[in-house]
Short mmCIF file of all heavy atoms in Angstrom, two decimals:
data_model
loop_
_atom_site.label_atom_id
_atom_site.label_comp_id
_atom_site.label_asym_id
_atom_site.label_seq_id
_atom_site.Cartn_x
_atom_site.Cartn_y
_atom_site.Cartn_z
N MET A 28 86.30 -46.91 -92.11
CA MET A 28 87.06 -47.10 -91.02
C MET A 28 86.97 -45.78 -90.25
O MET A 28 87.17 -44.71 -90.76
CB MET A 28 88.46 -47.49 -91.40
CG MET A 28 89.34 -47.76 -90.26
SD MET A 28 91.05 -48.13 -90.63
CE MET A 28 90.87 -49.50 -91.84
N THR A 29 86.88 -45.88 -88.94
CA THR A 29 86.93 -44.68 -88.08
C THR A 29 88.35 -44.12 -88.05
O THR A 29 89.20 -44.87 -88.19
CB THR A 29 86.42 -44.98 -86.68
OG1 THR A 29 87.25 -45.83 -85.98
CG2 THR A 29 85.02 -45.62 -86.74
N LYS A 30 88.42 -42.88 -87.54
CA LYS A 30 89.68 -42.17 -87.40
C LYS A 30 90.50 -42.89 -86.38
O LYS A 30 91.74 -43.06 -86.47
CB LYS A 30 89.47 -40.74 -87.06
CG LYS A 30 88.96 -39.84 -88.21
CD LYS A 30 88.78 -38.46 -87.65
CE LYS A 30 88.24 -37.52 -88.77
NZ LYS A 30 88.09 -36.17 -88.38
N LEU A 31 89.79 -43.37 -85.26
CA LEU A 31 90.50 -43.95 -84.16
C LEU A 31 91.03 -45.24 -84.54
O LEU A 31 92.28 -45.58 -84.20
CB LEU A 31 89.56 -44.07 -82.91
CG LEU A 31 90.30 -44.59 -81.66
CD1 LEU A 31 91.32 -43.76 -81.12
CD2 LEU A 31 89.20 -44.78 -80.53
N LEU A 32 90.25 -46.00 -85.20
CA LEU A 32 90.79 -47.26 -85.72
C LEU A 32 91.90 -47.19 -86.70
O LEU A 32 92.95 -47.94 -86.67
CB LEU A 32 89.65 -48.20 -86.37
CG LEU A 32 90.04 -49.57 -86.76
CD1 LEU A 32 90.60 -50.42 -85.64
CD2 LEU A 32 88.77 -50.28 -87.45
N LYS A 33 91.83 -46.24 -87.60
CA LYS A 33 92.91 -45.94 -88.53
C LYS A 33 94.17 -45.57 -87.83
O LYS A 33 95.32 -46.09 -88.08
CB LYS A 33 92.45 -44.86 -89.53
CG LYS A 33 93.52 -44.64 -90.65
CD LYS A 33 93.00 -43.60 -91.56
CE LYS A 33 93.95 -43.41 -92.71
NZ LYS A 33 93.63 -42.42 -93.74
N GLN A 34 94.00 -44.75 -86.73
CA GLN A 34 95.14 -44.28 -85.93
C GLN A 34 95.85 -45.51 -85.21
O GLN A 34 97.03 -45.57 -85.20
CB GLN A 34 94.67 -43.31 -84.92
CG GLN A 34 95.80 -42.76 -83.99
CD GLN A 34 95.24 -41.76 -83.04
OE1 GLN A 34 94.02 -41.43 -82.89
NE2 GLN A 34 96.10 -41.26 -82.17
N ALA A 35 94.93 -46.36 -84.72
CA ALA A 35 95.49 -47.59 -84.12
C ALA A 35 96.24 -48.47 -85.08
O ALA A 35 97.42 -49.03 -84.69
CB ALA A 35 94.36 -48.38 -83.41
N PHE A 36 95.68 -48.66 -86.23
CA PHE A 36 96.47 -49.49 -87.25
C PHE A 36 97.76 -48.84 -87.70
O PHE A 36 98.66 -49.56 -87.94
CB PHE A 36 95.48 -49.76 -88.44
CG PHE A 36 94.48 -50.85 -88.25
CD1 PHE A 36 93.14 -50.73 -88.67
CD2 PHE A 36 94.84 -52.01 -87.60
CE1 PHE A 36 92.24 -51.73 -88.41
CE2 PHE A 36 93.85 -53.05 -87.37
CZ PHE A 36 92.63 -52.86 -87.72
N GLU A 37 97.72 -47.54 -87.90
CA GLU A 37 98.95 -46.90 -88.26
C GLU A 37 99.97 -47.05 -87.14
O GLU A 37 101.16 -47.30 -87.38
CB GLU A 37 98.70 -45.34 -88.53
CG GLU A 37 97.88 -45.13 -89.78
CD GLU A 37 97.49 -43.69 -89.92
OE1 GLU A 37 97.78 -42.79 -89.08
OE2 GLU A 37 96.81 -43.37 -91.03
N LYS A 38 99.58 -47.03 -85.94
CA LYS A 38 100.51 -47.16 -84.74
C LYS A 38 100.96 -48.52 -84.66
O LYS A 38 102.17 -48.84 -84.53
CB LYS A 38 99.90 -46.76 -83.47
CG LYS A 38 100.76 -46.45 -82.43
CD LYS A 38 100.21 -45.46 -81.36
CE LYS A 38 101.27 -45.03 -80.38
NZ LYS A 38 101.67 -43.60 -80.66
N ALA A 39 100.02 -49.45 -84.92
CA ALA A 39 100.48 -50.88 -84.86
C ALA A 39 101.39 -51.27 -86.02
O ALA A 39 102.25 -52.22 -85.81
CB ALA A 39 99.21 -51.74 -84.94
N SER A 40 101.26 -50.60 -87.12
CA SER A 40 102.22 -51.01 -88.27
C SER A 40 103.58 -50.61 -87.96
O SER A 40 104.48 -51.06 -88.67
CB SER A 40 101.67 -50.22 -89.56
OG SER A 40 101.89 -48.83 -89.43
N GLN A 41 103.86 -49.82 -86.96
CA GLN A 41 105.25 -49.46 -86.65
C GLN A 41 105.82 -50.48 -85.61
O GLN A 41 107.00 -50.41 -85.35
CB GLN A 41 105.21 -48.11 -85.96
CG GLN A 41 104.70 -46.90 -86.87
CD GLN A 41 104.49 -45.66 -86.15
OE1 GLN A 41 104.85 -45.49 -84.95
NE2 GLN A 41 103.89 -44.67 -86.81
N LEU A 42 105.04 -51.39 -85.19
CA LEU A 42 105.55 -52.41 -84.31
C LEU A 42 106.37 -53.49 -85.09
O LEU A 42 106.06 -53.66 -86.27
CB LEU A 42 104.39 -53.12 -83.52
CG LEU A 42 103.55 -52.29 -82.58
CD1 LEU A 42 102.36 -53.15 -82.01
CD2 LEU A 42 104.35 -51.89 -81.40
N PRO A 43 107.14 -54.25 -84.38
CA PRO A 43 107.85 -55.37 -85.07
C PRO A 43 106.81 -56.40 -85.51
O PRO A 43 105.69 -56.55 -84.98
CB PRO A 43 108.74 -55.98 -83.95
CG PRO A 43 108.87 -54.93 -82.89
CD PRO A 43 107.66 -54.07 -83.05
N GLY A 44 107.15 -57.14 -86.51
CA GLY A 44 106.14 -58.04 -87.10
C GLY A 44 105.64 -59.07 -86.15
O GLY A 44 104.35 -59.40 -86.25
N ASN A 45 106.42 -59.60 -85.30
CA ASN A 45 105.88 -60.61 -84.29
C ASN A 45 104.74 -59.93 -83.42
O ASN A 45 103.77 -60.56 -83.05
CB ASN A 45 106.88 -61.24 -83.56
CG ASN A 45 107.71 -60.27 -82.67
OD1 ASN A 45 107.86 -59.11 -83.01
ND2 ASN A 45 108.15 -60.82 -81.39
N LEU A 46 104.97 -58.68 -83.07
CA LEU A 46 103.94 -58.07 -82.26
C LEU A 46 102.74 -57.73 -83.04
O LEU A 46 101.58 -57.65 -82.47
CB LEU A 46 104.61 -56.79 -81.51
CG LEU A 46 105.61 -57.07 -80.44
CD1 LEU A 46 106.18 -55.70 -79.98
CD2 LEU A 46 105.16 -57.94 -79.38
N GLN A 47 102.89 -57.30 -84.28
CA GLN A 47 101.79 -57.01 -85.15
C GLN A 47 100.91 -58.33 -85.33
O GLN A 47 99.74 -58.21 -85.18
CB GLN A 47 102.25 -56.59 -86.55
CG GLN A 47 102.83 -55.28 -86.59
CD GLN A 47 103.16 -54.81 -87.98
OE1 GLN A 47 102.49 -55.17 -88.93
NE2 GLN A 47 104.24 -54.03 -88.09
N ASP A 48 101.60 -59.50 -85.51
CA ASP A 48 100.93 -60.79 -85.57
C ASP A 48 100.15 -61.03 -84.26
O ASP A 48 98.98 -61.47 -84.31
CB ASP A 48 101.79 -61.91 -85.94
CG ASP A 48 102.22 -61.84 -87.38
OD1 ASP A 48 101.65 -61.09 -88.18
OD2 ASP A 48 103.24 -62.54 -87.69
N GLU A 49 100.75 -60.82 -83.13
CA GLU A 49 100.12 -61.13 -81.79
C GLU A 49 98.92 -60.13 -81.66
O GLU A 49 97.79 -60.64 -81.20
CB GLU A 49 101.11 -60.80 -80.76
CG GLU A 49 100.63 -61.20 -79.34
CD GLU A 49 101.65 -60.95 -78.25
OE1 GLU A 49 102.83 -61.09 -78.57
OE2 GLU A 49 101.21 -60.72 -77.10
N LEU A 50 99.11 -58.87 -82.04
CA LEU A 50 98.04 -57.96 -81.91
C LEU A 50 96.82 -58.45 -82.88
O LEU A 50 95.58 -58.37 -82.47
CB LEU A 50 98.46 -56.63 -82.13
CG LEU A 50 97.45 -55.43 -82.13
CD1 LEU A 50 96.84 -55.32 -80.69
CD2 LEU A 50 98.02 -54.18 -82.53
N ALA A 51 97.15 -58.78 -84.03
CA ALA A 51 96.15 -59.28 -85.07
C ALA A 51 95.40 -60.43 -84.51
O ALA A 51 94.21 -60.50 -84.63
CB ALA A 51 96.80 -59.57 -86.35
N ARG A 52 96.14 -61.42 -84.00
CA ARG A 52 95.47 -62.68 -83.38
C ARG A 52 94.44 -62.30 -82.24
O ARG A 52 93.36 -62.75 -82.18
CB ARG A 52 96.51 -63.54 -82.78
CG ARG A 52 97.13 -64.55 -83.94
CD ARG A 52 97.93 -65.68 -83.28
NE ARG A 52 99.20 -65.29 -82.67
CZ ARG A 52 100.34 -64.87 -83.29
NH1 ARG A 52 100.40 -65.00 -84.55
NH2 ARG A 52 101.34 -64.43 -82.57
N GLU A 53 94.89 -61.48 -81.39
CA GLU A 53 94.10 -60.98 -80.28
C GLU A 53 92.81 -60.32 -80.68
O GLU A 53 91.72 -60.50 -80.23
CB GLU A 53 94.82 -60.13 -79.35
CG GLU A 53 95.89 -60.86 -78.53
CD GLU A 53 96.78 -59.85 -77.60
OE1 GLU A 53 96.31 -58.77 -77.39
OE2 GLU A 53 97.77 -60.38 -77.12
N LEU A 54 92.97 -59.40 -81.75
CA LEU A 54 91.82 -58.61 -82.32
C LEU A 54 90.92 -59.53 -82.92
O LEU A 54 89.72 -59.53 -82.74
CB LEU A 54 92.38 -57.62 -83.24
CG LEU A 54 91.35 -56.72 -83.95
CD1 LEU A 54 90.52 -55.96 -82.89
CD2 LEU A 54 91.98 -55.68 -84.96
N LEU A 55 91.50 -60.50 -83.72
CA LEU A 55 90.58 -61.47 -84.45
C LEU A 55 89.83 -62.38 -83.39
O LEU A 55 88.60 -62.65 -83.58
CB LEU A 55 91.35 -62.38 -85.44
CG LEU A 55 91.77 -61.62 -86.72
CD1 LEU A 55 92.84 -62.39 -87.34
CD2 LEU A 55 90.68 -61.21 -87.51
N GLN A 56 90.48 -62.78 -82.40
CA GLN A 56 89.86 -63.64 -81.33
C GLN A 56 88.82 -62.84 -80.68
O GLN A 56 87.69 -63.25 -80.31
CB GLN A 56 90.90 -64.05 -80.30
CG GLN A 56 91.79 -65.20 -80.81
CD GLN A 56 92.84 -65.59 -79.79
OE1 GLN A 56 93.12 -64.88 -78.78
NE2 GLN A 56 93.61 -66.67 -80.11
N ASP A 57 89.03 -61.56 -80.28
CA ASP A 57 88.05 -60.68 -79.60
C ASP A 57 86.74 -60.54 -80.52
O ASP A 57 85.74 -60.58 -80.06
CB ASP A 57 88.63 -59.29 -79.26
CG ASP A 57 89.65 -59.36 -78.18
OD1 ASP A 57 89.66 -60.42 -77.41
OD2 ASP A 57 90.22 -58.38 -77.91
N MET A 58 87.04 -60.34 -81.78
CA MET A 58 85.86 -60.20 -82.76
C MET A 58 85.08 -61.41 -82.80
O MET A 58 83.86 -61.39 -82.86
CB MET A 58 86.40 -59.60 -84.04
CG MET A 58 86.84 -58.25 -84.00
SD MET A 58 87.27 -57.43 -85.65
CE MET A 58 88.35 -58.66 -86.36
N GLN A 59 85.80 -62.55 -82.77
CA GLN A 59 85.07 -63.86 -82.96
C GLN A 59 84.23 -64.16 -81.65
O GLN A 59 83.10 -64.53 -81.75
CB GLN A 59 86.16 -65.05 -83.12
CG GLN A 59 85.39 -66.30 -83.31
CD GLN A 59 86.50 -67.39 -83.59
OE1 GLN A 59 87.68 -67.19 -83.30
NE2 GLN A 59 86.05 -68.55 -84.09
N ALA A 60 84.83 -63.79 -80.55
CA ALA A 60 84.14 -63.91 -79.20
C ALA A 60 82.93 -63.12 -79.13
O ALA A 60 81.79 -63.50 -78.72
CB ALA A 60 85.14 -63.68 -78.05
N GLU A 61 83.12 -61.82 -79.63
CA GLU A 61 81.98 -60.91 -79.67
C GLU A 61 80.82 -61.32 -80.58
O GLU A 61 79.60 -61.36 -80.24
CB GLU A 61 82.43 -59.57 -80.11
CG GLU A 61 81.37 -58.41 -79.95
CD GLU A 61 81.06 -58.10 -78.42
OE1 GLU A 61 82.01 -58.19 -77.56
OE2 GLU A 61 79.94 -57.71 -78.24
N GLN A 62 81.16 -61.90 -81.68
CA GLN A 62 80.14 -62.40 -82.67
C GLN A 62 79.47 -63.68 -82.02
O GLN A 62 78.31 -63.75 -82.11
CB GLN A 62 80.87 -62.76 -83.88
CG GLN A 62 79.83 -63.35 -84.97
CD GLN A 62 80.45 -63.64 -86.30
OE1 GLN A 62 81.73 -63.56 -86.48
NE2 GLN A 62 79.61 -64.01 -87.29
N LYS A 63 80.23 -64.54 -81.31
CA LYS A 63 79.65 -65.71 -80.68
C LYS A 63 78.74 -65.25 -79.60
O LYS A 63 77.62 -65.78 -79.45
CB LYS A 63 80.74 -66.65 -80.19
CG LYS A 63 80.25 -67.90 -79.58
CD LYS A 63 81.36 -68.84 -79.40
CE LYS A 63 80.87 -70.17 -78.73
NZ LYS A 63 79.81 -70.87 -79.27
N TRP A 64 79.13 -64.26 -78.80
CA TRP A 64 78.25 -63.77 -77.72
C TRP A 64 76.90 -63.19 -78.31
O TRP A 64 75.83 -63.44 -77.87
CB TRP A 64 79.02 -62.68 -76.97
CG TRP A 64 78.21 -62.05 -75.89
CD1 TRP A 64 77.65 -60.79 -75.81
CD2 TRP A 64 77.54 -62.67 -74.71
NE1 TRP A 64 76.95 -60.47 -74.65
CE2 TRP A 64 76.87 -61.73 -74.03
CE3 TRP A 64 77.69 -64.02 -74.22
CZ2 TRP A 64 76.24 -61.97 -72.77
CZ3 TRP A 64 77.00 -64.21 -72.93
CH2 TRP A 64 76.38 -63.18 -72.27
N ASP A 65 77.00 -62.39 -79.43
CA ASP A 65 75.80 -61.82 -80.09
C ASP A 65 74.99 -62.96 -80.49
O ASP A 65 73.66 -62.95 -80.34
CB ASP A 65 76.25 -60.89 -81.23
CG ASP A 65 76.81 -59.59 -80.79
OD1 ASP A 65 76.72 -59.28 -79.52
OD2 ASP A 65 77.41 -58.99 -81.57
N GLU A 66 75.54 -64.00 -81.06
CA GLU A 66 74.65 -65.18 -81.72
C GLU A 66 74.04 -65.87 -80.48
O GLU A 66 72.85 -66.27 -80.65
CB GLU A 66 75.58 -66.18 -82.55
CG GLU A 66 76.10 -65.52 -83.80
CD GLU A 66 77.10 -66.35 -84.42
OE1 GLU A 66 77.55 -67.42 -83.86
OE2 GLU A 66 77.52 -66.00 -85.58
N THR A 67 74.74 -66.04 -79.38
CA THR A 67 74.18 -66.75 -78.16
C THR A 67 72.98 -65.99 -77.69
O THR A 67 71.96 -66.54 -77.31
CB THR A 67 75.30 -66.92 -77.13
OG1 THR A 67 76.35 -67.65 -77.69
CG2 THR A 67 74.70 -67.48 -75.96
N LEU A 68 73.12 -64.69 -77.57
CA LEU A 68 71.98 -63.84 -77.08
C LEU A 68 70.81 -64.01 -77.98
O LEU A 68 69.68 -63.98 -77.54
CB LEU A 68 72.47 -62.36 -77.02
CG LEU A 68 73.31 -62.05 -75.77
CD1 LEU A 68 73.70 -60.54 -75.80
CD2 LEU A 68 72.63 -62.36 -74.47
N VAL A 69 70.98 -63.90 -79.31
CA VAL A 69 69.89 -64.02 -80.27
C VAL A 69 69.22 -65.36 -80.17
O VAL A 69 68.07 -65.54 -80.10
CB VAL A 69 70.49 -63.81 -81.79
CG1 VAL A 69 69.42 -64.27 -82.78
CG2 VAL A 69 70.79 -62.36 -81.96
N GLU A 70 70.15 -66.45 -80.05
CA GLU A 70 69.43 -67.74 -79.96
C GLU A 70 68.81 -68.05 -78.59
O GLU A 70 67.94 -68.88 -78.47
CB GLU A 70 70.59 -68.85 -80.09
CG GLU A 70 71.25 -68.81 -81.46
CD GLU A 70 72.48 -69.70 -81.51
OE1 GLU A 70 72.89 -70.23 -80.45
OE2 GLU A 70 73.09 -69.78 -82.64
N SER A 71 69.09 -67.29 -77.62
CA SER A 71 68.49 -67.47 -76.23
C SER A 71 67.33 -66.57 -75.94
O SER A 71 66.81 -66.67 -74.82
CB SER A 71 69.63 -67.49 -75.18
OG SER A 71 70.13 -66.22 -75.09
N GLN A 72 66.93 -65.72 -76.92
CA GLN A 72 65.77 -64.81 -76.64
C GLN A 72 64.54 -65.39 -76.12
O GLN A 72 63.94 -64.86 -75.09
CB GLN A 72 65.48 -64.00 -77.85
CG GLN A 72 66.52 -62.90 -78.18
CD GLN A 72 66.62 -61.98 -76.95
OE1 GLN A 72 65.69 -61.33 -76.45
NE2 GLN A 72 67.83 -61.89 -76.45
N ASP A 73 64.10 -66.59 -76.69
CA ASP A 73 62.91 -67.24 -76.17
C ASP A 73 63.07 -67.67 -74.75
O ASP A 73 62.14 -67.56 -74.00
CB ASP A 73 62.67 -68.45 -77.15
CG ASP A 73 62.10 -68.02 -78.50
OD1 ASP A 73 61.76 -66.85 -78.69
OD2 ASP A 73 62.25 -68.93 -79.47
N ILE A 74 64.26 -68.24 -74.44
CA ILE A 74 64.45 -68.68 -73.02
C ILE A 74 64.42 -67.51 -72.04
O ILE A 74 63.85 -67.54 -71.11
CB ILE A 74 65.77 -69.45 -72.95
CG1 ILE A 74 65.69 -70.81 -73.73
CG2 ILE A 74 66.12 -69.76 -71.54
CD1 ILE A 74 67.01 -71.48 -73.96
N LEU A 75 65.14 -66.46 -72.50
CA LEU A 75 65.18 -65.29 -71.61
C LEU A 75 63.82 -64.59 -71.45
O LEU A 75 63.54 -64.20 -70.36
CB LEU A 75 66.22 -64.17 -72.26
CG LEU A 75 67.63 -64.59 -72.19
CD1 LEU A 75 68.51 -63.59 -73.00
CD2 LEU A 75 68.18 -64.81 -70.83
N ASN A 76 63.06 -64.48 -72.50
CA ASN A 76 61.63 -64.06 -72.41
C ASN A 76 60.81 -64.81 -71.49
O ASN A 76 60.08 -64.43 -70.67
CB ASN A 76 61.03 -63.93 -73.82
CG ASN A 76 61.56 -62.77 -74.61
OD1 ASN A 76 62.08 -61.81 -74.07
ND2 ASN A 76 61.44 -62.91 -75.84
N SER A 77 60.99 -66.14 -71.59
CA SER A 77 60.23 -67.02 -70.63
C SER A 77 60.69 -66.92 -69.23
O SER A 77 59.81 -66.80 -68.30
CB SER A 77 60.49 -68.49 -71.13
OG SER A 77 59.82 -69.33 -70.29
N LEU A 78 61.88 -66.80 -68.96
CA LEU A 78 62.41 -66.57 -67.60
C LEU A 78 61.88 -65.20 -67.07
O LEU A 78 61.54 -65.12 -65.92
CB LEU A 78 63.96 -66.64 -67.56
CG LEU A 78 64.54 -68.02 -67.84
CD1 LEU A 78 66.05 -67.89 -68.07
CD2 LEU A 78 64.23 -68.96 -66.65
N ALA A 79 61.96 -64.23 -67.94
CA ALA A 79 61.46 -62.86 -67.52
C ALA A 79 59.97 -62.88 -67.12
O ALA A 79 59.56 -62.36 -66.09
CB ALA A 79 61.69 -61.85 -68.45
N LYS A 80 59.22 -63.58 -67.97
CA LYS A 80 57.74 -63.73 -67.67
C LYS A 80 57.52 -64.42 -66.34
O LYS A 80 56.65 -64.11 -65.58
CB LYS A 80 57.04 -64.36 -68.80
CG LYS A 80 56.92 -63.49 -70.06
CD LYS A 80 56.22 -64.29 -71.19
CE LYS A 80 56.14 -63.47 -72.45
NZ LYS A 80 55.54 -64.14 -73.60
N ASP A 81 58.24 -65.49 -66.17
CA ASP A 81 58.14 -66.31 -64.95
C ASP A 81 58.43 -65.46 -63.72
O ASP A 81 57.74 -65.53 -62.65
CB ASP A 81 59.02 -67.57 -65.05
CG ASP A 81 58.74 -68.45 -63.82
OD1 ASP A 81 57.60 -68.67 -63.57
OD2 ASP A 81 59.75 -68.95 -63.20
N ALA A 82 59.56 -64.67 -63.80
CA ALA A 82 60.01 -63.86 -62.66
C ALA A 82 59.00 -62.76 -62.40
O ALA A 82 58.61 -62.54 -61.21
CB ALA A 82 61.32 -63.18 -63.01
N LEU A 83 58.43 -62.18 -63.40
CA LEU A 83 57.30 -61.22 -63.17
C LEU A 83 56.10 -61.80 -62.55
O LEU A 83 55.52 -61.17 -61.68
CB LEU A 83 56.87 -60.45 -64.45
CG LEU A 83 57.90 -59.49 -65.04
CD1 LEU A 83 57.47 -59.00 -66.34
CD2 LEU A 83 58.04 -58.31 -64.12
N LYS A 84 55.74 -63.05 -63.00
CA LYS A 84 54.57 -63.71 -62.34
C LYS A 84 54.83 -64.02 -61.00
O LYS A 84 53.97 -63.77 -60.13
CB LYS A 84 54.39 -65.05 -63.23
CG LYS A 84 53.21 -65.81 -62.70
CD LYS A 84 53.03 -67.01 -63.56
CE LYS A 84 51.92 -67.94 -63.03
NZ LYS A 84 51.69 -69.16 -63.83
N GLN A 85 56.06 -64.44 -60.57
CA GLN A 85 56.40 -64.81 -59.28
C GLN A 85 56.29 -63.45 -58.41
O GLN A 85 55.88 -63.52 -57.24
CB GLN A 85 57.76 -65.41 -59.16
CG GLN A 85 57.80 -66.77 -59.56
CD GLN A 85 59.07 -67.51 -59.47
OE1 GLN A 85 59.81 -67.12 -58.58
NE2 GLN A 85 59.48 -68.45 -60.30
N HIS A 86 56.86 -62.42 -58.96
CA HIS A 86 56.70 -61.05 -58.17
C HIS A 86 55.35 -60.64 -57.92
O HIS A 86 55.02 -60.25 -56.83
CB HIS A 86 57.60 -60.08 -58.98
CG HIS A 86 57.52 -58.71 -58.39
ND1 HIS A 86 58.27 -58.44 -57.20
CD2 HIS A 86 56.98 -57.58 -58.78
CE1 HIS A 86 58.01 -57.17 -56.89
NE2 HIS A 86 57.25 -56.62 -57.87
N LYS A 87 54.53 -60.69 -59.01
CA LYS A 87 53.08 -60.26 -58.87
C LYS A 87 52.34 -61.13 -57.82
O LYS A 87 51.39 -60.69 -57.20
CB LYS A 87 52.46 -60.36 -60.19
CG LYS A 87 52.90 -59.16 -61.15
CD LYS A 87 52.22 -59.27 -62.49
CE LYS A 87 52.72 -58.20 -63.48
NZ LYS A 87 52.22 -58.22 -64.82
N THR A 88 52.67 -62.38 -57.73
CA THR A 88 52.03 -63.27 -56.73
C THR A 88 52.68 -63.31 -55.41
O THR A 88 52.31 -64.08 -54.55
CB THR A 88 51.90 -64.69 -57.28
OG1 THR A 88 53.29 -65.15 -57.56
CG2 THR A 88 51.15 -64.85 -58.58
N GLY A 89 53.61 -62.26 -55.22
CA GLY A 89 54.19 -62.24 -53.87
C GLY A 89 55.24 -63.30 -53.52
O GLY A 89 55.55 -63.56 -52.31
N ARG A 90 55.75 -64.01 -54.44
CA ARG A 90 56.76 -65.10 -54.18
C ARG A 90 58.10 -64.67 -54.32
O ARG A 90 59.04 -65.45 -54.32
CB ARG A 90 56.43 -66.27 -55.07
CG ARG A 90 55.02 -66.87 -54.93
CD ARG A 90 54.70 -68.12 -55.69
NE ARG A 90 55.62 -68.42 -56.76
CZ ARG A 90 55.29 -69.08 -57.80
NH1 ARG A 90 54.04 -69.54 -58.01
NH2 ARG A 90 56.17 -69.27 -58.73
N THR A 91 58.36 -63.32 -54.30
CA THR A 91 59.80 -62.77 -54.34
C THR A 91 59.97 -61.88 -53.12
O THR A 91 59.05 -61.60 -52.41
CB THR A 91 59.96 -61.99 -55.61
OG1 THR A 91 59.10 -60.83 -55.60
CG2 THR A 91 59.78 -62.75 -56.90
N LYS A 92 61.29 -61.72 -52.79
CA LYS A 92 61.67 -61.00 -51.73
C LYS A 92 62.67 -59.89 -52.11
O LYS A 92 63.71 -60.31 -52.77
CB LYS A 92 62.27 -62.02 -50.62
CG LYS A 92 62.76 -61.28 -49.34
CD LYS A 92 63.29 -62.25 -48.45
CE LYS A 92 64.09 -61.66 -47.25
NZ LYS A 92 64.82 -62.61 -46.45
N LEU A 93 62.48 -58.77 -51.60
CA LEU A 93 63.48 -57.66 -52.00
C LEU A 93 64.68 -57.88 -51.19
O LEU A 93 64.64 -58.01 -49.88
CB LEU A 93 62.84 -56.29 -51.62
CG LEU A 93 63.69 -55.06 -51.94
CD1 LEU A 93 64.12 -55.02 -53.52
CD2 LEU A 93 62.99 -53.79 -51.61
N MET A 94 65.84 -57.94 -51.79
CA MET A 94 67.09 -58.15 -51.05
C MET A 94 68.18 -57.25 -51.58
O MET A 94 68.18 -56.85 -52.73
CB MET A 94 67.55 -59.59 -51.38
CG MET A 94 66.64 -60.67 -50.86
SD MET A 94 67.04 -62.38 -51.32
CE MET A 94 68.42 -62.64 -50.29
N GLY A 95 69.15 -56.93 -50.68
CA GLY A 95 70.27 -56.15 -51.09
C GLY A 95 71.34 -56.96 -51.44
O GLY A 95 71.32 -58.24 -51.30
N PRO A 96 72.47 -56.41 -51.96
CA PRO A 96 73.55 -57.24 -52.59
C PRO A 96 74.27 -58.02 -51.36
O PRO A 96 74.75 -59.15 -51.67
CB PRO A 96 74.51 -56.15 -52.99
CG PRO A 96 73.98 -54.79 -52.76
CD PRO A 96 72.61 -54.99 -52.18
N ASP A 97 74.20 -57.63 -50.15
CA ASP A 97 74.85 -58.46 -49.08
C ASP A 97 74.00 -59.62 -48.62
O ASP A 97 74.49 -60.42 -47.83
CB ASP A 97 75.14 -57.52 -47.87
CG ASP A 97 76.07 -56.40 -48.20
OD1 ASP A 97 76.98 -56.70 -49.06
OD2 ASP A 97 76.05 -55.41 -47.54
N GLU A 98 72.75 -59.65 -49.15
CA GLU A 98 71.87 -60.86 -48.73
C GLU A 98 71.72 -61.87 -49.77
O GLU A 98 71.08 -62.91 -49.44
CB GLU A 98 70.43 -60.12 -48.48
CG GLU A 98 70.43 -59.07 -47.38
CD GLU A 98 68.95 -58.45 -47.37
OE1 GLU A 98 68.77 -57.64 -48.21
OE2 GLU A 98 68.24 -58.80 -46.49
N LEU A 99 72.39 -61.76 -50.82
CA LEU A 99 72.38 -62.78 -51.88
C LEU A 99 73.02 -64.11 -51.51
O LEU A 99 73.95 -64.14 -50.81
CB LEU A 99 72.89 -62.30 -53.12
CG LEU A 99 72.15 -61.07 -53.81
CD1 LEU A 99 72.90 -60.58 -55.07
CD2 LEU A 99 70.72 -61.44 -54.13
#
């Protein structure tokens, strides 16, 4: 465990029980969401690679246009 995480847990342990439980639920939900996001990225690598290859092909054949953020 890192020093910062240990410090956060020590500080959280001083909170009332209901706030500790709320903090724990939020932390667990965040970790679950992060894991799901990581899994989604791993599962979509083939699709992302295919889209990237297609975009490069379109760029090389002149079918793309350079645009600024205000032109999207």
Side-chain angles (χ1 to χ4, degrees):
M28 181 182 309
T29 68
K30 289 180 183 180
L31 185 59
L32 185 58
K33 185 176 181 179
Q34 181 183 359
F36 280 138
E37 287 173 1
K38 196 155 192 107
S40 71
Q41 298 170 8
L42 296 171
N45 63 327
L46 292 178
Q47 288 184 34
D48 287 344
E49 184 179 333
L50 181 60
R52 276 191 293 278
E53 290 177 14
L54 182 58
L55 290 169
Q56 287 174 350
D57 285 350
M58 289 188 305
Q59 184 179 19
E61 189 66 31
Q62 182 178 4
K63 184 167 176 53
W64 177 247
D65 289 344
E66 290 169 359
T67 299
L68 286 177
V69 167
E70 292 170 0
S71 63
Q72 282 302 304
D73 290 341
I74 294 169
L75 292 173
N76 286 334
S77 177
L78 290 170
K80 286 179 184 177
D81 188 47
L83 285 172
K84 182 179 177 183
Q85 289 183 27
H86 177 70
K87 288 178 182 178
T88 59
R90 296 185 345 207
T91 60
K92 176 182 171 185
L93 183 61
M94 299 174 70
D97 295 333
E98 300 172 283
L99 298 177

